[in-house]
């Protein structure tokens, strides 16, 4: 039996990252701004408008010259003449002079000559045209000046920035309807195994549902990947070979779940190798769980063979693929510092991935270890992050403050 080409996790991440950077960073597409949520900007986005494009009021009240309100109080109010009632969406017609004011609604345009707005709560209509002002206002109080929010040629998004709700709102505010983003990668998911059946299939003893196919699809879509093909192939070498060979011509990434070890029907590595002499980078990672992982490529297509056990597949997807993908697109992993509730013992000589539940107690963040076996998935529901114990450490002690990578 051939020995596994065991690779360190850090090397595996770097090789996947390099492949994505080489073949996929050049792929971009134009999307409408309302469909940009979670997408990564592939170019600098600048504003070609100012926001707001007119000086506006931030309250319902009366626009005036601020000096006309100096000294105003409930006992000695200022008396001003209202010369206009400004409506929303209309251009103010008046030019406010000393002793004059104009009613303006929230968001309405300030008339020329006015430099402040007094809230309507601090005013009273004295007769048809006169207004009493009971409180002084300072220059530009309750006013948003033209271009004060966003100015011409202002950078709104840099290359590598991820569009969130706020940035989409800003773009919409200055009339940007389309943006250029990195293209969604096309991914195929192949689940293998004589014992594996679709999740809507009524299984018998000795059979299992295709957990990994569903799990991978959901995680990839969360990362804005385009899951173009999913299929379940039982342990049939020829069918699996032809499927992988054909898909590698059109897909950016192929995930094969199961068949990654060295059993009689573990065909994945043999099929990857048959695509070319240098298609397999590694067969085996120095990590627990997930050692029998296969990594490689065929031309531009990244090939990833994951262990069949869901917990192991979940671990490798997050630790290796997700880390490499985010690094390639200059996106940070979400991390938090937390204090260990218990001692942690790792597997010597290999990196250990340990699931945990992060919670806050008073002002401190704590990490509670979630213990599970490679074949169990129910306990993963409790986890919201994971710890990485390097291969050169035996573990961590209770009370240590460590970096937890959030799921």
């Amino acid at each position: 039996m051939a020995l596994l080409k065991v690779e360190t996790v850090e090397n595996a991440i770097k090789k996947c990252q390099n492949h994505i950077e080489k073949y996929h960073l050049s792929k971009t597409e134009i999307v409408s701004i309302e469909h940009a949520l979670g997408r990564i900007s592939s170019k600098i986005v600048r504003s070609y408008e100012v926001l707001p494009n007119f000086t506006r009021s931030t309250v319902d009240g009366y626009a005036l010259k601020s000096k006309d309100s100096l000294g105003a109080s409930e006992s000695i109010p200022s008396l001003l003449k209202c010369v206009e009632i400004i409506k929303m969406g209309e251009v103010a017609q008046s030019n406010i002079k000393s002793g004059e004011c104009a009613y303006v609604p929230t968001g309405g345009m300030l008339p020329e000559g006015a430099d402040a707005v007094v809230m309507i709560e601090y005013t009273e209509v004295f007769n048809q045209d006169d207004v009493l002002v009971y409180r002084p206002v300072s220059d530009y109080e309750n006013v948003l000046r033209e271009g004060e929010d966003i100015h011409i040629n202002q950078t709104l998004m840099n290359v590598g920035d991820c569009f969130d709700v706020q940035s989409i709102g800003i773009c919409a505010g200055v009339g940007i309807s389309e943006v250029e983003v990195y293209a969604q990668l096309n991914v195929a998911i192949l689940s293998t195994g004589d014992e594996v059946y679709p999740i809507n299939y009524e299984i018998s003893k000795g059979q299992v549902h295709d957990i990994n196919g569903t799990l991978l699809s959901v995680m990839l879509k969360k990362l804005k990947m385009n899951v173009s093909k999913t299929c379940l192939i039982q342990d049939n070498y020829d069918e699996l070979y032809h499927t992988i060979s054909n898909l590698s011509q059109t897909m950016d990434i192929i995930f094969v779940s199961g068949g990654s070890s060295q059993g009689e029907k573990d065909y994945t590595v043999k099929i990857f190798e048959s695509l070319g002499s240098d298609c397999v980078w590694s067969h085996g990672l120095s990590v627990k769980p997930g050692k029998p992982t296969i990594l490689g490529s065929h031309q531009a297509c990244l090939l990833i063979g994951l262990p069949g056990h869901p917990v192991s597949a979940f671990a490798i997807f997050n630790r290796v693929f997700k880390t490499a993908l985010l690094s390639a697109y200059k996106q940070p992993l979400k991390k938090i510092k937390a204090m260990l509730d218990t001692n942690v013992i790792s597997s010597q000589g290999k990196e250990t991935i340990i699931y945990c539940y992060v919670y806050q107690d008073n002002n401190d963040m704590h990490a509670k270890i979630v213990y599970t076996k490679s074949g169990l998935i129910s306990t993963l529901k409790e986890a919201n992050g994971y710890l990485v114990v390097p291969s050169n450490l035996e573990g961590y002690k209770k009370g240590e403050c460590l970096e937890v990578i959030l799921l």
Side-chain angles (χ1 to χ4, degrees), residues 220 223 253 255 302 304 316-317 319-325:
L220 286 163
L223 291 172
I253 306 170
F255 282 92
L302 178 62
I304 302 177
I316 296 302
F317 180 93
R319 176 67 180 126
V320 178
F321 175 73
K322 182 179 178 180
T323 303
L325 181 76

Side-chain angles (χ1 to χ4, degrees), residues 141-365:
E141 185 173 340
N142 300 322
V143 169
L144 191 60
R145 285 181 275 185
E146 180 178 338
E148 185 176 340
D149 196 356
I150 297 174
H151 54 77
I152 288 287
N153 212 36
Q154 180 174 332
T155 298
L156 307 180
M157 298 287 287
N158 283 302
V159 175
D161 286 349
C162 185
F163 283 94
D164 56 16
V165 173
Q166 297 92 317
S167 56
I168 288 173
I170 289 171
C171 288
V174 292
I176 295 173
S177 60
E178 293 181 331
V179 290
E180 183 181 298
V181 296
Y182 288 113
Q184 289 182 306
L185 301 186
N186 292 314
V187 185
I189 303 170
L190 310 183
S191 299
T192 69
D194 286 338
E195 78 286 8
V196 184
Y197 287 83
I199 58 174
N200 60 352
Y201 185 87
E202 189 173 338
I203 59 175
S204 304
K205 295 286 187 181
Q207 300 172 343
V208 298
H209 290 300
D210 180 20
I211 299 171
N212 284 356
T214 303
L215 191 65
L216 288 170
S217 181
V218 170
M219 292 191 294
L220 286 163
K221 288 175 183 177
K222 187 177 180 181
L223 291 172
K224 299 300 180 181
M225 300 286 101
N226 182 27
V227 180
S228 304
K229 178 74 173 179
T230 59
C231 57
L232 175 57
I233 301 174
Q234 295 184 325
D235 291 320
N236 182 308
Y237 180 92
D238 291 337
E239 184 181 358
L240 191 58
Y241 168 78
H242 288 298
T243 302
I244 293 175
S245 179
N246 291 333
L247 287 173
S248 67
Q249 305 300 317
T250 58
M251 292 293 113
D252 297 312
I253 306 170
I254 297 175
F255 282 92
V256 182
S257 167
S260 65
S261 193
Q262 291 183 301
E264 181 183 351
K265 291 188 175 183
D266 288 329
Y267 298 137
T268 304
V269 71
K270 299 174 185 176
I271 292 171
F272 284 1
E273 288 173 338
S274 70
L275 298 176
S277 59
D278 58 350
C279 283
V280 176
W281 308 334
S282 59
H283 183 195
L285 298 183
S286 183
V287 64
K288 181 180 181 181
K291 181 180 178 181
T293 297
I294 307 165
L295 298 172
S297 65
H298 182 225
Q299 298 171 7
C301 182
L302 178 62
L303 304 172
I304 302 177
L306 294 174
H309 283 308
V311 174
S312 297
F314 185 66
I316 296 302
F317 180 93
N318 284 294
R319 176 67 180 126
V320 178
F321 175 73
K322 182 179 178 180
T323 303
L325 181 76
L326 294 181
S327 296
Y329 290 100
K330 305 296 185 290
Q331 300 300 298
L333 282 170
K334 293 182 180 179
K335 302 177 181 179
I336 194 169
K337 290 280 190 178
M339 189 183 306
L340 271 180
D341 281 359
T342 58
N343 293 332
V344 172
I345 300 174
S346 66
S347 297
Q348 286 185 305
K350 63 179 70 172
E351 180 179 295
T352 306
I353 300 169
I354 299 174
Y355 295 105
C356 59
Y357 173 69
V358 179
Y359 65 96
Q360 186 170 353
D361 184 13
N362 294 323
N363 293 324
D364 298 320
M365 299 304 298

